[in-house]
Amino acid sequence: MKSILIFGCLAAGLAACNGGGTSHEQNHMKPVNFGEDVAFLQQHLKNVVVLKHAGDSSGLVVTGDYQARVMTSTTGGSAGKSFGWINYDLVASQKFAPHINAFGGEERFWMGPEGGQYALFFPPGKTFDFSNWQTPGLIDTAHYTVTAQSDTAITYQQEGSLQNYKGSTFKLQISRTIRLLGNSYITSRLGFTLPAGIKSVAYETDNAVTNKGDSAWQEQNGLLSIWLLGMFKPSDQTAIIAPFQHIPDAKIHITDDYFGKIPAENLLIKDSVLLFRADGKSRGKLGLSPLVAKRGAGSIDLQNNTLTVLLYEVVPQGRYVNSKWELQKEPFKGDAVNCYNDGPLADGTQMGPFYEVESSSDARALKPGETLRYRQVTMHFEGDAQALQAMAAQLWQLPLKDVAQFLAKK
């Protein structure tokens, strides 16, 4: 119950400070494709970069104004579908909000843990309440500097410090490279040839955190993880898909009650894959322990004929930070993968709609000058039902009819 109340306060606060209850169309003409998203961002931000291969319709847009964030991408050029959810009202306001600046974007760089005795989002000695919750400026409002750039890749860097709930201070350097990938890389990374008629876009982020302090980070003082969060556009026919290890009692390593138990019609857990409704109409969050999480979580949108897959590393026996808003018995037994479906508050207001797929690195006790590195690849595909079926079968051994039947339950 506590987690439900906490999230209710959090979501209510976000809606209030980010214009969550106001229809975007009341203030602006909402962009409808990638080109219009880029134009909107260029109108309101100073540091907007489009990465593109010459002669190819795929592309993505990033900005150092929002911590080297990938805002959105497309397979189809300026007129193509734009995959990332963007908080147009907050971006257009050009103002910072209290607690968090939820600008959106389909991959943002954060660090964990959020809550607990080693929390980065709560000051020492304060209660784990929304009024005390604050996203650190280093991963919320800081501008990241470009250190290298080409037509298809860009590197950003920023230095700063973070203090956790225990009072430990971490002096660090963040480096983040975003690379637009080509078709040959996509097929080699997936291990199979793309079906005929599939359009694709893919990019890799290479994220590094270096201990710039004079002493080693120690577990008893708290450790840090790299946390990548993607916000995507939902539809009534979208399902998040997360594969997991088919082991005895696998379900005990899947948490489905962060914000209250996810209703059965919104979640299906099969032998080695779960389906989670991502319609942006019912708030819920789930997490997979590194003991069962597998690379390759993503989503299928049967309404728009698109498929998304994220590739990342999982260290089964690694230390993964716990972000729950409480003093924890096991602060290093958190999730490797998280999924979130947005939904309206009790009063009907809503910041989204969007859904999220998130991944985290393990946490490591870095010596001075030592670096934690974490990479993730995001791929989007568009094609007809036959092509998507072939991809879902290759990626998850998942028939599309199973997805359609699951989504029809509501």
Side-chain angles (χ1 to χ4, degrees), residues 87-313:
N87 190 336
Y88 301 108
D89 290 324
L90 183 59
V91 173
S93 75
Q94 297 184 309
K95 297 177 181 179
F96 290 146
H99 301 292
I100 183 177
N101 287 277
F103 301 114
E106 65 170 85
E107 193 195 282
R108 72 183 186 271
F109 178 95
W110 263 15
M111 300 196 72
E114 181 179 349
Q117 53 265 53
Y118 304 127
L120 297 177
F121 290 63
F122 290 89
K126 298 294 184 179
T127 56
F128 297 113
D129 299 312
F130 177 70
S131 60
N132 297 318
W133 179 75
Q134 182 63 52
T135 311
L138 185 62
I139 54 174
D140 186 49
T141 56
H143 170 82
Y144 285 22
T145 301
V146 176
T147 59
Q149 184 175 352
S150 69
D151 290 343
T152 58
I154 189 166
T155 298
Y156 296 90
Q157 195 172 91
Q158 178 65 298
E159 291 194 12
S161 62
L162 296 169
Q163 185 185 56
N164 69 11
Y165 189 82
K166 187 178 174 66
S168 304
T169 298
F170 301 85
K171 186 177 180 182
L172 49 87
Q173 180 186 79
I174 297 166
S175 178
R176 179 163 154 87
T177 298
I178 300 105
R179 300 184 186 92
L180 182 64
L181 305 174
N183 286 331
S184 60
Y185 180 95
I186 294 171
T187 55
S188 65
R189 186 66 189 270
L190 291 178
F192 58 85
T193 302
L194 296 182
I198 282 281
K199 295 190 300 180
S200 63
V201 60
Y203 58 89
E204 178 186 57
T205 64
D206 189 344
N207 307 275
V209 173
T210 302
N211 179 356
K212 300 295 285 186
D214 298 326
S215 59
W217 299 349
Q218 300 179 15
E219 184 173 309
Q220 61 266 32
N221 296 323
L223 300 175
L224 309 180
S225 70
I226 294 171
W227 186 6
L228 304 179
L229 305 93
M231 304 175 84
F232 304 104
K233 296 176 181 178
S235 81
D236 288 344
Q237 293 295 305
T238 300
I240 294 170
I241 300 163
F244 59 88
Q245 301 287 350
H246 182 45
I247 62 172
D249 299 322
K251 289 184 180 180
I252 68 173
H253 301 293
I254 300 172
T255 304
D256 63 356
D257 59 354
Y258 277 96
F259 306 140
K261 186 77 171 177
I262 298 172
E265 65 269 21
N266 288 347
L267 179 63
L268 174 64
I269 301 178
K270 305 179 71 175
D271 290 341
S272 58
V273 67
L274 65 81
L275 304 180
F276 180 27
R277 191 182 302 274
D279 57 4
K281 296 180 178 180
S282 177
R283 289 196 312 273
K285 178 181 176 180
L286 60 83
L288 290 87
S289 157
L291 295 175
V292 295
K294 294 174 67 175
R295 74 168 199 159
S299 62
I300 287 181
D301 182 344
L302 299 180
Q303 181 173 307
N304 293 293
N305 291 324
T306 62
L307 182 151
T308 294
V309 61
L310 280 63
L311 304 177
Y312 40 79
E313 180 185 11

Side-chain angles (χ1 to χ4, degrees), residues 22-38:
T22 302
S23 171
H24 176 78
E25 286 84 358
Q26 293 176 5
N27 300 319
H28 315 284
M29 289 298 292
K30 184 176 180 180
V32 298
N33 57 37
F34 179 76
E36 291 182 3
D37 273 343
V38 171

